[in-house]
Amino acid sequence: MDAQLLAFVAVAAGMVALPGADFTVVVRNALASRRDGLATAVGVAGGLVVHTALAVAGLAAVLVTMPVLFRGVQLLGGAYVLYLGLSGLYAMRRRAAAGDGAGAGSEEEGTGGTPAGPGRALRQGFLTNALNPKAPVLFLSLLPQFVPDGAAPLPRTLLLASVVVLLALVWFPAVALLVDRLGRWLRRPRAARVIEGGSGSALTALGLVLVAGPLLH
């Protein structure tokens, strides 16, 4: 049995399950509908496929070693996360102004300002992950540690990267289905406001951090 592979699976599972922008967007969209939540989850996994391809091709190394390019990706990713957060906060404020009974949690408008439709949800999940500037660093710093001495780097790296994508395809749809199952309670006006405000604030704060990072350097 490959002990290094098992250790990597455990580490990667912890990283994938760690709450972040991906988790927040999946939860928010799952409150709009099961379809949107699952589409967002698939989009997140699609973003990981992009990072996997970049790492295997060696482009991630180029990105990390070129500060200007890396900071540009940071700004772009931070701006998108910030946009999602502010959109959620604006939708919460609009809902409060219109009254809880006006379309609360309706599938036409979605919850938390999330546009209804799996296509948009898929795009949101994909961009949230693909524009994450920390992912290339993570892949470059973590994957080589689990390549045994004497092993061919490319097949091993492909295997490890595939494990990360597979874990994401299990974890994020499970989160979406759980949120949908609990939707009866989570979609209540008071709970919806708390979730909208919490997710919007979390994404806004994360976006500000990501945008401020490259600007302060």
Side-chain angles (χ1 to χ4, degrees), residues 91-163:
M92 180 192 67
R93 188 174 181 181
R94 185 178 59 182
R95 178 201 291 271
D100 291 333
S106 70
E107 184 142 339
E108 294 298 321
E109 296 180 3
T111 301
T114 304
R120 290 185 177 181
L122 179 72
R123 185 165 61 250
Q124 279 192 353
F126 176 80
L127 290 177
T128 299
N129 188 278
L131 294 177
N132 180 2
K134 296 181 180 179
V137 180
L138 184 64
F139 271 93
L140 285 177
S141 61
L142 184 65
L143 296 187
Q145 298 182 34
F146 292 91
V147 177
D149 295 335
L154 182 58
R156 184 69 173 191
T157 302
L158 280 172
L159 173 62
L160 297 177
S162 299
V163 167

Side-chain angles (χ1 to χ4, degrees), residues 79-102:
Y80 184 71
V81 173
L82 181 61
Y83 162 76
L84 291 179
L86 292 175
S87 297
L89 291 176
Y90 173 75
M92 180 192 67
R93 188 174 181 181
R94 185 178 59 182
R95 178 201 291 271
D100 291 333

Side-chain angles (χ1 to χ4, degrees), residues 10-30:
V11 172
M15 293 186 330
V16 169
L18 190 67
D22 295 338
F23 180 86
T24 305
V25 171
V26 169
V27 169
R28 195 181 70 173
N29 287 2

Side-chain angles (χ1 to χ4, degrees), residues 1 5 11 26 30 42 47 57 73 75 87 96 120 131 146 148 177 185 198 207 217:
M1 184 173 293
L5 181 59
V11 172
V26 169
V42 173
V73 174
L75 282 172
S87 297
R120 290 185 177 181
L131 294 177
F146 292 91
L177 290 174
W185 294 275
H217 285 78

